[in-house]
Amino acid sequence: MKENKMEKYLRQFGFLLYAFLLRWPIWLLIWIFGRGGMFKTLFLIYPTDNSECLDFCPNIGWLRRFFSGRPTPAGLIMDGWRPLGLYLVIPDAALELMRKKNRPMVESIIKRMLWAQKISGAQAIGLAGQLGPIFEKRHGFEMAPPFYTSTYGNIFSIQKAVSHLVRTSKKNPWQVSVAIVGGGMLGEDLMEHLGADGYQMSMVDVRYTRKGDVKLTNKEEAHRQLATVNLVVNLLPRGKDFMDCQLHRQIPEESTIIDFSRPPIAPEDIPQNVVMGNRVQRDGMHFFMRLPGGWKRHELPACSMPSLLASLGQLPLRNIEDFRLAARQFQFYTALAGAPVPSHNIFYNTLRNLATVRPIVSRFLPFILKSRQAVSR
């Protein structure tokens, strides 16, 4: 807890430095390192509630207004010891960005992200969570490269989470019932893809009130769907929405809930097992500084995958099949599998990292390792 507070205060202090002294020097450094091709991707995040906003920006009115609509560098995306990209943050919540009157703010964010791409030399711009759908469907901005939205990453993450849970329970897909709660188009896509994997699928329909609350469309039908379900994929925007609908009272206690909401469901408040479905991992890749909201070092947001894969492989991601192929090639998998076991062979790790930078090392790497093994014998 003390470490988390220190990290929060360090972030806030960094924002104050940025506001008063280092704004242009930081962008100058980004431009200098970007000329050498260091940064491959940018990733824009936003807070889901006031506590997440406080993890970045102090609660000072004029300071938040200053940063509003201004993507601000908040940390690095690391691939081993090499910076792969930058992640930036805005203090504006999704509900604020949805409002039609804030279209100029959204337009400003897009222009500033394109400017940041030009300065950094990045190839792709990733948008966290609901940003892509808000920008495109609410305000009419087309989400095409260099912009990458979260959809494929979310589908991949949930599919891998479901597969991992079913495999660890030693069941076959056709023996497992999965219910999806909410989600709109993402829910429909998951119904199609998980159904094709052989799971028994159902969708619990919800409706949204003018105040932003969530209600079940048909309580009796929802009770029937959830009475014997094995896995529940919660796609409601907030954990509070899940609790307000009393869904935990209709789901068997031995079931598992794959939570995709932010802020998430508090596991201590319900008897079911709750796991996060929006987190993936890749050996050696992490965010520095660590993301707010209880993220572990090895966990990556699923919504960051599209821009990461686009910049890592420079492959066309035209459909979910292309996306899965790229994710398999670059060894992304669910964070539910636990943190990867770190290798303590410093010599091998150094050569492996150099191999990603210099092809000549990659060519002679097997011979170097073999000669080293022969000498050690």
Side-chain angles (χ1 to χ4, degrees):
M1 180 68 96
K2 188 175 181 181
E3 183 181 349
N4 291 339
K5 283 187 176 181
M6 286 296 295
E7 195 169 8
K8 179 176 76 172
Y9 294 145
L10 183 61
R11 278 202 188 100
Q12 291 186 356
F13 179 68
F15 265 74
L16 290 173
L17 279 178
Y18 179 85
F20 291 115
L21 299 173
L22 301 178
R23 184 181 174 199
W24 290 112
I26 285 176
W27 283 114
L28 178 61
L29 284 174
I30 290 172
W31 177 81
I32 291 171
F33 287 112
R35 295 313 91 194
M38 175 178 288
F39 302 120
K40 302 292 190 297
T41 186
L42 303 176
F43 182 57
L44 180 64
I45 68 172
Y46 64 97
T48 55
D49 61 5
N50 191 55
S51 63
E52 280 193 10
C53 191
L54 283 173
D55 278 339
F56 286 104
C57 186
N59 191 18
I60 303 172
W62 67 265
L63 189 62
R64 288 200 181 185
R65 287 192 295 273
F66 174 79
F67 283 118
S68 178
R70 297 171 183 257
T72 304
L76 296 169
I77 304 173
M78 304 294 293
D79 189 11
W81 57 271
R82 294 183 305 122
L84 177 67
L86 295 164
Y87 79 89
L88 303 93
V89 64
I90 49 175
D92 311 293
L95 287 176
E96 296 175 30
L97 295 170
M98 281 182 184
R99 297 190 177 105
K100 287 288 188 180
K101 67 177 183 179
N102 286 333
R103 191 180 192 280
M105 182 197 299
V106 171
E107 188 173 4
S108 173
I109 291 170
I110 291 174
K111 287 181 178 178
R112 289 175 185 272
M113 288 302 296
L114 289 171
W115 178 83
Q117 182 203 15
K118 184 177 180 180
I119 289 292
S120 65
Q123 301 160 9
I125 301 172
L127 300 174
Q130 302 175 55
L131 289 181
I134 289 173
F135 290 179
E136 186 167 36
K137 296 175 183 176
R138 191 71 176 171
H139 297 290
F141 294 102
E142 184 182 4
M143 290 294 102
F147 289 99
Y148 290 86
T149 62
S150 59
T151 304
Y152 287 164
N154 293 338
I155 293 174
F156 175 86
S157 175
I158 293 174
Q159 276 193 290
K160 289 299 181 182
V162 169
S163 176
H164 173 78
L165 292 170
V166 171
R167 189 168 58 251
T168 53
S169 67
K170 298 181 179 179
K171 292 183 178 180
N172 296 308
W174 58 86
Q175 298 173 308
V176 177
S177 56
V178 181
I180 297 173
V181 181
M185 291 186 65
L186 175 59
E188 293 174 5
D189 289 340
L190 284 170
M191 282 285 291
E192 177 184 349
H193 294 298
L194 289 174
D197 291 339
Y199 299 102
Q200 304 172 40
M201 300 299 301
S202 62
M203 178 175 281
V204 178
D205 292 324
V206 299
R207 59 183 176 85
Y208 295 87
T209 67
R210 290 185 177 180
K211 294 182 179 180
D213 297 326
V214 177
K215 304 290 184 183
L216 293 173
T217 303
N218 188 321
K219 292 184 179 180
E220 290 75 18
E221 179 66 12
H223 178 74
R224 184 190 66 79
Q225 291 172 312
L226 297 172
T228 59
V229 73
N230 301 118
L231 297 175
V232 176
V233 180
N234 174 40
L235 298 181
L236 297 179
R238 303 166 298 179
K240 173 183 177 296
D241 300 324
F242 184 92
M243 301 300 292
D244 289 347
C245 289
Q246 299 290 303
L247 292 170
H248 59 292
R249 300 187 184 279
Q250 305 180 49
I251 299 170
E253 292 188 4
E254 62 273 13
S255 300
T256 296
I257 298 168
I258 302 173
D259 190 18
F260 222 76
S261 59
R262 288 179 60 199
I265 301 167
E268 62 272 13
D269 291 344
I270 62 175
Q272 293 84 4
N273 179 37
V274 180
V275 299
M276 297 306 299
N278 59 346
R279 304 183 182 192
V280 296
Q281 61 181 320
R282 180 175 183 256
D283 188 18
M285 188 171 287
H286 64 279
F287 277 59
F288 176 87
M289 307 268 287
R290 190 163 47 188
L291 295 171
W295 292 77
K296 297 177 182 177
R297 176 182 168 83
H298 68 281
E299 294 175 338
L300 308 170
C303 49
S304 68
M305 281 187 66
S307 60
L308 287 173
L309 288 174
S311 57
L312 281 169
Q314 300 181 3
L315 300 171
L317 303 176
R318 294 164 298 208
N319 50 52
I320 189 63
E321 285 73 24
D322 288 346
F323 188 88
R324 286 174 180 161
L325 176 62
R328 187 163 58 247
Q329 287 177 342
F330 288 97
Q331 299 180 331
F332 282 88
Y333 51 101
T334 176
L336 297 183
V341 179
S343 171
H344 299 290
N345 189 332
I346 298 174
F347 177 82
Y348 177 80
N349 283 345
T350 303
L351 286 177
R352 186 187 65 175
N353 287 329
L354 285 173
T356 64
V357 182
R358 300 186 184 278
I360 189 170
V361 177
S362 179
R363 179 180 299 178
F364 293 105
L365 178 59
F367 303 102
I368 297 172
L369 292 175
K370 284 181 180 180
S371 62
R372 183 174 181 270
Q373 291 171 357
V375 170
S376 63
R377 290 172 186 168

